[in-house]
Amino acid sequence: MKARPIIFDTDPGIDDAAAIVIAIKDPDLDVKLLSTVGANVEVEKTCMNALRLAEFMDVDIPVAKGCGEPLMRKLRPCPEVHGVTGMDGYDFPPVTRKPLDKHAVVAMRDIIMSSEEKITLVVIGTHTNVAIMLKMYPEVKEKIEEIVTMGGALAGGNTNSTAEFNIYNDPHAADIVFKSGIPITMLGLNVTNYALIYRKEAEAIKARGGKAGEMICSLLEHYRSGSLDAGVRVHDAVAVAYMVRPDLFKTEMMPVEIALDGPAAGTTVSDFRAMESGEKKPNVKVVTEVDQEGYTQWFVDEFCRGEE
Ligand code: RIB
Ligand code: CA
């Protein structure tokens, strides 16, 4: 089966790193670009981290530097979760590669428009780059297969009591993307908080996952979204799992709107009653359940692929 062409729009970020390494190793995916955005840490650092990952994995995947600030709000990075570098915990060799000499928005647009096949956008940071691309180059919409995004939640946030980090940081961009008419699949905290990786899996990956496995386990030791002993939330890897193992998940079409102002700005709101009454039409495929056991086994298998 031909590999599915994808572009990551990403803010590495330790869980982003796991998602990107798995996607590079998985034969069912063909990573065309790492487009970077400022979110977990500043875009200078997320771009450097994307270059580190491409060089570490020794793959010819271009990296482009994107937006450093959200459309309207002030960025609130979270070095307390990923470390000051955005990928604390592993001593990467010096980076020799450079990013493309064009903005990530232009790089994404160029790859999408020149591709024979439709491209899937895997958005695992804020939606700033994608929103600007849709406004500047609306012609890309016809060439995008789907937007698979880790973001939002059906109930409860991680940045405040209602908003998830990626949407919280740029709700206006998410609003543009969610209203674009492009097929969207949303993996929110309602599912990524329950797809946990424990020390048992990390030990297996360290023992059998080669260099990449050793690297990701070192990063996960420093990652502060849960812990290996209590279960670590590798949010962005769940978006990759959904693409290659949809059998591990349940989904439901729902109306999802983004709150844009007030204390709940950045919250993804799904109005179930308005959907039942027909007042609001579903616009997003929401991932509602994950097979936790199947996911953890998949996570280990992916890192051990080709290493034994
Ligand atoms: O809320 C989790 C999301 O925010 C993940 O994508 C993580 O990397 C951060 O960007
Ligand atoms: Ca991320």
Side-chain angles (χ1 to χ4, degrees), residues 127 151-153 166-168 170-179 186 255-261 264-270 283-284:
H127 291 75
N166 286 336
I167 311 295
Y168 171 88
D170 199 341
H172 302 89
D175 186 51
I176 290 168
V177 173
F178 277 52
K179 287 177 178 169
M186 177 182 120
V256 176
E257 297 168 271
I258 314 289
L260 296 179
D261 39 37
T267 301
T268 48
V269 182
S270 191
N283 61 320
V284 175

Side-chain angles (χ1 to χ4, degrees), residues 38 67-76 126 128 169-171 173:
C67 294
E69 287 291 332
L71 297 183
M72 308 280 280
R73 284 164 72 114
K74 182 106 189 69
L75 181 65
R76 291 181 61 178
T126 55
T128 318
N169 264 298
D170 199 341

Side-chain angles (χ1 to χ4, degrees), residues 11 15-16 40 82 124-125 150 158 164-166 189 235-236:
D11 60 336
D15 59 325
D16 302 67
N40 280 323
H82 300 266
I124 53 176
M150 189 280 132
N158 59 1
E164 177 277 327
F165 180 83
N166 286 336
L189 299 175
H235 299 283
D236 294 335

Side-chain angles (χ1 to χ4, degrees), residues 226-266:
S227 70
L228 285 173
D229 294 318
V232 76
R233 297 181 286 268
V234 194
H235 299 283
D236 294 335
V238 188
V240 178
Y242 169 76
M243 285 189 291
V244 296
R245 288 290 307 276
D247 58 295
L248 296 176
F249 299 89
K250 287 204 175 115
T251 64
E252 190 179 336
M253 286 303 295
M254 295 183 186
V256 176
E257 297 168 271
I258 314 289
L260 296 179
D261 39 37

Side-chain angles (χ1 to χ4, degrees), residues 53-74:
L53 291 168
E55 192 148 358
F56 181 89
M57 295 303 289
D58 193 21
V59 287
D60 184 17
I61 298 175
V63 171
K65 183 169 169 240
C67 294
E69 287 291 332
L71 297 183
M72 308 280 280
R73 284 164 72 114
K74 182 106 189 69

Side-chain angles (χ1 to χ4, degrees), residues 8-31:
F8 274 109
D9 196 52
T10 176
D11 60 336
I14 290 173
D15 59 325
D16 302 67
I20 291 165
V21 168
I22 290 173
I24 288 170
K25 290 174 71 100
D26 192 301
D28 292 340
L29 296 174
D30 177 11
V31 184

Side-chain angles (χ1 to χ4, degrees), residues 15-228:
D15 59 325
D16 302 67
I20 291 165
V21 168
I22 290 173
I24 288 170
K25 290 174 71 100
D26 192 301
D28 292 340
L29 296 174
D30 177 11
V31 184
K32 296 291 189 186
L33 173 70
L34 299 180
S35 157
T36 58
V37 70
N40 280 323
V41 289
E42 295 72 15
V43 68
E44 291 73 19
K45 295 178 180 177
T46 61
C47 185
M48 179 58 74
N49 288 335
L51 289 166
R52 276 195 181 96
L53 291 168
E55 192 148 358
F56 181 89
M57 295 303 289
D58 193 21
V59 287
D60 184 17
I61 298 175
V63 171
K65 183 169 169 240
C67 294
E69 287 291 332
L71 297 183
M72 308 280 280
R73 284 164 72 114
K74 182 106 189 69
L75 181 65
R76 291 181 61 178
C78 58
E80 67 278 9
V81 174
H82 300 266
V84 171
T85 66
M87 280 191 339
D88 278 16
Y90 186 78
D91 191 13
F92 287 93
V95 175
T96 61
R97 298 186 184 193
K98 296 275 182 268
L100 295 175
D101 61 2
K102 53 184 157 181
H103 193 281
V105 169
V106 178
M108 272 198 282
R109 177 249 183 202
D110 290 351
I111 289 176
I112 291 168
M113 295 311 290
S114 61
S115 170
E116 276 172 29
E117 298 162 280
K118 287 191 174 186
I119 299 275
T120 295
L121 294 188
V122 187
V123 184
I124 53 176
T126 55
H127 291 75
T128 318
N129 289 334
V130 178
I132 290 175
M133 178 178 68
L134 294 178
K135 289 295 182 188
M136 284 177 70
Y137 308 112
E139 67 273 16
V140 298
K141 288 187 184 180
E142 305 308 314
K143 300 287 302 278
I144 295 172
E145 177 71 29
E146 179 183 15
I147 293 176
V148 176
T149 185
M150 189 280 132
L154 283 185
N158 59 1
T159 307
N160 60 27
S161 54
T162 63
E164 177 277 327
F165 180 83
N166 286 336
I167 311 295
Y168 171 88
N169 264 298
D170 199 341
H172 302 89
D175 186 51
I176 290 168
V177 173
F178 277 52
K179 287 177 178 169
S180 67
I182 297 168
I184 291 180
T185 300
M186 177 182 120
L187 291 105
L189 299 175
N190 53 289
V191 72
T192 66
N193 274 349
Y194 302 96
L196 300 176
I197 299 300
Y198 293 87
R199 188 161 297 287
K200 177 169 146 272
E201 287 83 39
E203 294 305 329
I205 291 167
K206 211 185 299 183
R208 299 169 16 222
K211 225 168 51 102
E214 191 242 318
M215 178 268 285
I216 215 69
C217 288
S218 300
L219 292 179
L220 290 178
E221 288 287 0
H222 283 73
Y223 178 46
R224 291 292 173 268
S225 184
S227 70
L228 285 173

